Amino acid sequence: MKYIWAKISLILLTLGFLSSCNAVKRVEDNQRLLADNTILVNEEEVSENVLYSQLYQEPNSTFLGLPLQLYLYNQAKSNPDSLFMAWLQRKPERKEKLVNLLSEKQVVRLGNIYVNINEWIKEAGEPPTIVRESVAQRSAERLQAWYWNNGWFNAKTSYEIVPKKRKRAEVVYSVSPQKPYFVDSLTTRIASIVADSIYEAHKQNSLIVPGEQYATAYFGAERERLTELFRNNGLFHFEQEYISFEADTINTEHKVNSAVIIQNREATIDGASTRIPFKVHEISRVNIFPDYTFENRNEPITDTVSNEGYHIYSFEKLRYKPGALTNAIFITPGTIYTDAERSLTYNRLNQLRLFRYPNIQYITDPADSTGNALIANIFLTARPKYSLGFEFDISQSNIQKFGIGFGGSLLIRNVFRGAEILEISGRGSIGSSKDAANDEDRFFDITEVGVDVDLTLPRILFPLPTERFIPKYMYPFTTLGVGASTQTNIGLDKQSLTAVMNYRWLPSENLTHLMDLINIQYVKNLNTDNYFNVYRNSFQELNEVATSENVETNPEFFNMREDGSRSLVIPEGANSFLRATRLGEVEDLTQSQRQILNDIRERKNRLTEDNLIFATNFSYILNNKENIYDEDFSRLRVKLESAGHFLAAVSKVANFDKNLDGRHSIFGVNYSQYVKTEIDYIKHWDLGSENVFAIRTFGGIAIPYGNSNSIPFIRSFFAGGPNDNRAWQPYSLGPGSSGGRNEFNEANLKIALSAEYRYNLFGDLNSAFFIDAGNIWNVFDVVEEEASTFTSFKDLEEIAIGSGIGLRYDFNFFVIRFDIGFKTYDPAQPEGKRWFRDYNLSNAVFNVGINYPF
């Protein structure tokens, strides 16, 4: 009953707030609030966003039909400073009391706070959109211009302001497009013979196509195409302003006869302005200054080197191998000038992280009497050889209640004079554990320490030449990395060693290839005796079987509790009981109990064994996002990984013996063998007005074979969390319909789907509705439990669905995200009771994240 009254109270409070809001509070009697815009084309209403985006005025934004930002704006006072002073002086003793309680200075500051709060409300809110005749006229003219630019040269537009009730009005725009014009012919008038020959050689790529409806945008795009074409074919002095178009529509029956007009370039000869034909310019010489600064620009050169036709000049002793510099330069002596080579050079030099502000200048070669030769001077200002970095963070997870992380890095540039980057980084953390076995009276009882060393080379390091397959315009890099870390009081305590040889190259602007030729990871569990303290659910299941009435076993396995019940001793009793059941020393077990014990034994063996992973992987990443502000893009990532094939071949050739488990081991550790693939696709649609619809689809599977019957924990999949299915905590969803009964639920098959509608509330505060779906399953491995395994397409009915709402505050350089996820379809519930079973706040999951989930 109390919940019903709480809901009624919330509804009454909401209605009371809304009733106090007046949308036309700041609308004068002679003004009207814009309620709606309507566009009629040939007397029929249209809804195309491209047309409505031409209008200069839009109605105030709404949420669920309510102009919340306008309501917020109206709550601000128009003269807060005067109001504060009037309030302060309304009672003679009020100011005196406040001054005595605070101080005169603090009272002034109190007034400033009141004024600032009102300013913030105004900024976060949205002022009323007042209908203005002049703005409506300009909108109609802009609509007409849009139709003209898209081929309707005779279009006519008008508008009408339709008054509504309560100081509101609607503006109706009427458009009569008339008959459109089509491109009929395209001719040229190009003054320069050189420019004309280049145009003719590439005219099949023209964006102006006879027979298509006229569009000004096509002519603008053609101007950009031609400018790029000429500047990439040696015309160094060519600029976009030399291109113009002529369109003839007189007596053409709605056809456009177009002409491309290209003038000769402007030049000053003997003090007089004139026009001269374009020439094809050739690079005669490339000079590189690797230690240039503004201060030393007039100093003498002390070191010079020539390498493959390039000339390197250094003000001090040259600190780089000549090939390391020339490999980053795409401007080649003896070739014609191209903008593309200059852009490639800029990009590569910036990627090296060795120089700041690369500057490329071209001058006419004084030794060439024809004026066709250019000298390219490349001025490079070196960054400091050493750089230090520090980081600090505070975290919370399902492993620790509170954690503090810190780290530092040392970056050394040009470490071997070959443009290499050596980075040495260390990290550490301390935290408060949730481990039930940790009963020491210390708050910070867990630690993690790690160190990584990475060496990055600006080339592909391989015994055989790779230039034919990965040319330098693909910006190749090789990274050699090693790392080590150790954990104490985190789970089973681990030590890990890693070694990676990674290649990265970019076949195109939107495509990235990543390849780990060698990816080695060794993980050693230091405290396996702590297993049943960490994985309490497994222990409870084991203890229930051991204490069942039908089970008789060694009483030394147990401790007696105060209530007279028995409990297995951790770890000796629990491990001994598991061992006894495996050896058949415990009789009268039911089939169900045997299955439970097999599952517990398998999971314990898998999570406590040391791992040796020797893998190779390749990632294909296609991303057409132009910049960080682009909200209309797609991203595809495909990853393939194979582990253990090399060690399996070595074991076979060397005829290694198998251990008692029938598996090969290296230095006493069973190596993992599996194949794994992941496919991740993200798509964003920009709906305008800061509205975005985004989707993500993910699928992954890892199949053990040969020397393995399961996937290592660190290479398996999990579900749930702020970047996955937000209605479940991390590791708490699945596998299948098993109900996430273990502390860290993982499996080797995963499907994840998400959709999110994002919109602006006001100011920098955004919101989103989302739906997440997915689950994990075991497949082709040692797990046999029916609820956890994927055996047929019918198991897709176990895909969990979560939905919810979120708030996001944009700080420009990052976004803080708060999402509430509700279990909409829970496969762990009995069939027929899975929909909306726990769809309430008490079972909701509250997620906090940085930036968007996808």
Side-chain angles (χ1 to χ4, degrees):
M1 188 68 180
K2 62 180 180 180
Y3 296 111
I4 295 176
W5 282 111
K7 292 178 181 179
I8 293 175
S9 300
L10 179 61
I11 293 172
L12 291 176
L13 285 172
T14 303
L15 291 175
F17 169 75
L18 294 178
S19 65
S20 68
C21 298
N22 182 3
V24 294
K25 179 179 180 179
R26 298 190 183 278
V27 180
E28 303 294 337
D29 291 338
N30 62 341
Q31 297 176 331
R32 291 193 179 273
L33 181 72
L34 179 61
D36 199 9
N37 285 321
T38 301
I39 299 178
L40 304 177
V41 179
N42 291 329
E43 300 183 352
E44 292 186 5
E45 185 176 348
V46 296
S47 58
E48 286 87 344
N49 286 334
V50 67
L51 295 179
Y52 283 88
S53 66
Q54 307 304 313
L55 307 181
Y56 286 103
Q57 280 191 318
E58 295 181 354
N60 289 99
S61 58
T62 61
F63 177 69
L64 299 178
L66 299 173
L68 296 183
Q69 283 187 261
L70 176 57
Y71 289 162
L72 183 65
Y73 181 89
N74 287 341
Q75 298 304 310
K77 308 300 182 183
S78 57
N79 53 341
D81 48 352
S82 300
L83 289 174
F84 178 78
M85 292 303 299
W87 172 83
L88 191 63
Q89 298 172 0
R90 189 173 302 149
K91 295 181 179 181
E93 69 279 3
R94 177 176 289 166
K95 182 177 180 180
E96 183 179 349
K97 287 181 179 179
L98 283 175
V99 170
N100 292 332
L101 179 65
L102 302 172
S103 69
E104 189 167 350
K105 184 178 181 181
Q106 293 298 328
V107 171
V108 173
R109 182 172 295 178
L110 189 64
N112 291 335
I113 292 174
Y114 179 73
V115 171
N116 291 334
I117 289 175
N118 271 271
E119 289 301 319
W120 178 85
I121 292 174
K122 283 186 176 181
E123 291 178 4
E126 187 179 73
T129 303
I130 305 299
V131 176
R132 303 190 188 280
E133 188 94 19
S134 59
V135 178
Q137 176 65 39
R138 288 171 53 212
S139 295
E141 293 171 355
R142 192 177 182 187
L143 260 180
Q144 185 179 20
W146 184 89
Y147 273 92
W148 193 98
N149 285 324
N150 285 276
W152 289 279
F153 296 158
N154 301 319
K156 293 180 171 56
T157 59
S158 61
Y159 69 93
E160 179 185 4
I161 299 176
V162 182
K164 302 285 186 181
K165 296 179 180 179
R166 294 178 296 177
K167 297 184 182 181
R168 289 169 171 81
E170 176 186 8
V171 182
V172 179
Y173 297 89
S174 298
V175 182
S176 179
Q178 310 296 327
K179 189 176 180 180
Y181 281 75
F182 291 81
V183 176
D184 184 51
S185 62
L186 180 64
T187 58
T188 60
R189 295 203 299 272
I190 303 177
S192 168
I193 296 176
V194 171
D196 185 63
S197 63
I198 295 173
Y199 177 89
E200 289 296 322
H202 299 86
K203 66 180 181 180
Q204 71 275 9
N205 299 323
S206 175
L207 301 178
I208 303 173
V209 181
E212 291 189 356
Q213 186 170 328
Y214 173 89
T216 301
Y218 291 154
F219 285 77
E222 177 68 0
R223 180 182 283 111
E224 294 179 359
R225 184 190 75 86
L226 290 176
T227 302
E228 181 180 346
L229 173 67
F230 291 135
R231 290 189 62 82
N232 281 323
N233 281 273
L235 305 193
F236 172 71
H237 295 287
F238 194 89
E239 300 292 342
Q240 196 175 103
E241 63 190 36
Y242 296 131
I243 304 174
S244 61
F245 296 97
E246 187 179 88
D248 179 18
T249 59
I250 300 175
N251 299 323
T252 60
E253 298 182 352
H254 292 85
K255 295 180 180 179
V256 181
N257 296 317
S258 304
V260 180
I261 304 170
I262 300 178
Q263 307 176 63
N264 285 331
R265 76 179 183 91
E266 294 179 346
T268 301
I269 300 178
D270 297 329
S273 297
T274 185
R275 288 187 178 273
I276 61 176
F278 289 101
K279 297 179 180 179
V280 174
H281 293 271
E282 183 179 290
I283 305 299
S284 62
R285 185 181 179 94
V286 179
N287 301 324
I288 306 172
F289 301 84
D291 57 352
Y292 174 84
T293 63
F294 182 80
E295 290 76 14
N296 70 4
R297 66 190 186 283
N298 296 321
E299 298 294 326
I301 299 297
T302 61
D303 198 357
T304 61
V305 175
S306 295
N307 183 67
E308 298 180 353
Y310 295 90
H311 303 275
I312 304 173
Y313 300 95
S314 182
F315 294 95
E316 300 176 355
K317 182 174 176 58
L318 185 63
R319 292 179 292 176
Y320 306 89
K321 295 178 182 178
L325 295 173
T326 58
N327 283 341
I329 308 301
F330 292 84
I331 303 168
T332 308
T335 62
I336 66 170
Y337 167 84
T338 69
D339 262 2
E341 289 183 349
R342 179 166 65 173
S343 297
L344 288 169
T345 302
Y346 271 126
N347 292 340
R348 187 56 168 172
L349 289 171
N350 285 321
Q351 287 179 348
L352 293 180
R353 297 186 291 166
L354 298 175
F355 308 102
R356 55 164 66 99
Y357 319 127
N359 183 12
I360 303 174
Q361 299 179 3
Y362 294 89
I363 60 174
T364 303
D365 190 343
D368 179 35
S369 59
T370 65
N372 294 343
L374 297 174
I375 296 176
N377 292 318
I378 303 174
F379 300 97
L380 305 175
T381 301
R383 294 178 181 270
K385 186 176 181 67
Y386 301 98
S387 294
L388 289 174
F390 299 96
E391 60 183 20
F392 174 84
D393 63 81
I394 298 175
S395 61
Q396 184 272 336
S397 70
N398 54 351
I399 298 176
Q400 58 186 11
K401 292 180 291 187
F402 178 77
I404 299 175
F406 47 88
S409 62
L410 170 65
L411 189 145
I412 308 174
R413 297 179 174 89
N414 193 38
V415 63
F416 301 122
R417 300 181 62 242
E420 307 90 353
I421 298 286
L422 178 65
E423 188 169 8
I424 304 170
S425 59
R427 63 190 183 280
S429 66
I430 57 176
S432 176
S433 175
K434 291 183 178 181
D435 187 349
N438 191 349
D439 57 0
E440 296 184 24
D441 189 17
R442 291 181 299 152
F443 183 75
F444 290 115
D445 52 10
I446 63 176
T447 60
E448 181 174 5
V449 179
V451 63
D452 296 290
V453 179
D454 294 319
L455 177 66
T456 301
L457 315 174
R459 56 190 176 275
I460 297 296
L461 184 65
F462 197 73
L464 301 176
T466 59
E467 182 78 14
R468 179 180 175 184
F469 309 102
I470 308 176
K472 71 175 187 177
Y473 73 79
M474 293 185 181
Y475 307 139
F477 282 98
T478 299
T479 298
L480 306 174
V482 294
S485 66
T486 181
Q487 300 174 342
T488 303
N489 282 340
I490 303 179
L492 305 181
D493 298 352
K494 297 180 185 295
Q495 288 181 345
S496 66
L497 300 173
T498 59
V500 177
M501 184 175 186
N502 171 265
Y503 299 133
R504 173 168 58 92
W505 68 98
L506 285 68
S508 68
E509 184 179 1
N510 300 325
L511 182 61
T512 301
H513 287 170
L514 301 174
M515 181 178 181
D516 286 351
L517 182 65
I518 299 174
N519 187 315
I520 303 173
Q521 186 170 13
Y522 169 66
V523 178
K524 181 177 179 61
N525 292 300
L526 302 177
N527 190 10
T528 57
D529 287 343
N530 199 34
Y531 178 83
F532 284 114
N533 283 318
V534 175
Y535 298 94
R536 298 295 298 179
N537 291 342
S538 293
F539 174 74
Q540 289 172 7
E541 289 185 344
L542 178 65
N543 197 59
E544 286 179 6
V545 173
T547 57
S548 298
E549 293 182 358
N550 64 303
V551 176
E552 293 186 7
T553 187
N554 193 335
E556 294 181 359
F557 296 166
F558 300 91
N559 272 333
M560 296 300 296
R561 296 173 176 168
E562 293 180 359
D563 59 1
S565 62
R566 298 183 303 165
S567 178
L568 288 168
V569 178
I570 298 177
E572 294 85 357
N575 291 336
S576 298
F577 178 72
L578 265 184
R579 188 182 308 109
T581 58
R582 179 174 60 85
L583 298 175
E585 297 174 358
V586 179
E587 300 179 353
D588 299 328
L589 289 170
T590 67
Q591 185 61 36
S592 174
Q593 289 172 333
R594 293 183 188 278
Q595 183 61 53
I596 291 173
L597 293 172
N598 286 338
D599 292 341
I600 294 173
R601 187 182 300 110
E602 177 277 324
R603 180 173 171 81
K604 179 177 181 295
N605 291 339
R606 182 159 54 91
L607 297 182
T608 58
E609 72 174 353
D610 299 336
N611 297 127
L612 176 60
I613 303 171
F614 195 114
T616 298
N617 61 62
F618 174 79
S619 294
Y620 173 98
I621 304 172
L622 182 63
N623 187 355
N624 63 9
K625 187 172 185 176
E626 295 182 358
N627 52 62
I628 60 174
Y629 303 106
D630 185 8
E631 287 294 354
D632 201 318
F633 69 94
S634 62
R635 180 180 183 269
L636 173 66
R637 180 182 66 88
V638 179
K639 182 177 181 180
L640 303 173
E641 180 171 296
S642 176
H645 56 283
F646 176 76
L647 296 181
V650 171
S651 299
K652 185 175 181 180
V653 172
N655 197 24
F656 287 167
D657 293 331
K658 293 184 178 181
N659 55 27
L660 296 177
D661 296 329
R663 303 166 66 185
H664 289 112
S665 61
I666 304 293
F667 304 117
V669 181
N670 298 333
Y671 61 82
S672 299
Q673 192 170 5
Y674 61 86
V675 291
K676 181 181 181 182
T677 183
E678 298 176 6
I679 301 176
D680 191 6
Y681 178 73
I682 296 171
K683 173 64 179 174
H684 285 209
W685 288 272
D686 190 346
L687 306 180
S689 302
E690 298 185 78
N691 295 305
V692 176
F693 183 69
I695 65 169
R696 181 195 182 196
T697 61
F698 176 89
I701 185 172
I703 302 175
Y705 72 100
N707 207 53
S708 296
N709 56 18
S710 62
I711 302 299
F713 181 86
I714 54 177
R715 289 292 201 271
S716 58
F717 301 108
F718 72 93
N723 296 318
D724 196 72
N725 197 319
R726 284 161 280 187
W728 279 263
Q729 295 284 1
Y731 292 97
S732 67
L733 173 59
S737 59
S738 64
R741 61 176 179 268
N742 295 308
E743 285 78 6
F744 300 96
N745 297 279
E746 38 75 41
N748 62 326
L749 171 65
K750 179 175 180 177
I751 297 174
L753 310 166
S754 291
E756 193 168 270
Y757 173 64
R758 302 167 184 168
Y759 54 93
N760 179 257
L761 284 178
F762 51 83
D764 293 323
L765 184 63
N766 303 297
S767 185
F769 291 110
F770 62 83
I771 297 177
D772 300 323
N775 208 332
I776 56 174
W777 294 269
N778 291 96
V779 61
F780 304 129
D781 65 0
V782 72
V783 177
E784 298 178 352
E785 184 188 14
E786 183 177 353
S788 301
T789 56
F790 189 95
T791 56
S792 67
F793 286 111
K794 190 177 185 303
D795 290 320
L796 293 176
E797 296 177 359
E798 297 173 346
I799 288 180
I801 300 175
S803 58
I805 189 170
L807 294 174
R808 291 86 192 273
Y809 193 87
D810 191 347
F811 288 91
N812 292 325
F813 51 94
F814 73 95
V815 174
I816 286 185
R817 175 167 51 92
F818 177 74
D819 292 328
I820 304 177
F822 298 92
K823 295 177 177 61
T824 308
Y825 178 85
D826 187 354
Q829 299 293 342
E831 292 189 28
K833 297 182 179 180
R834 293 177 172 178
W835 285 100
F836 302 103
R837 180 73 179 273
D838 293 321
Y839 203 89
N840 49 58
L841 277 176
S842 61
N843 289 288
V845 175
F846 298 87
N847 301 274
V848 178
I850 301 297
N851 295 327
Y852 290 100
F854 53 88

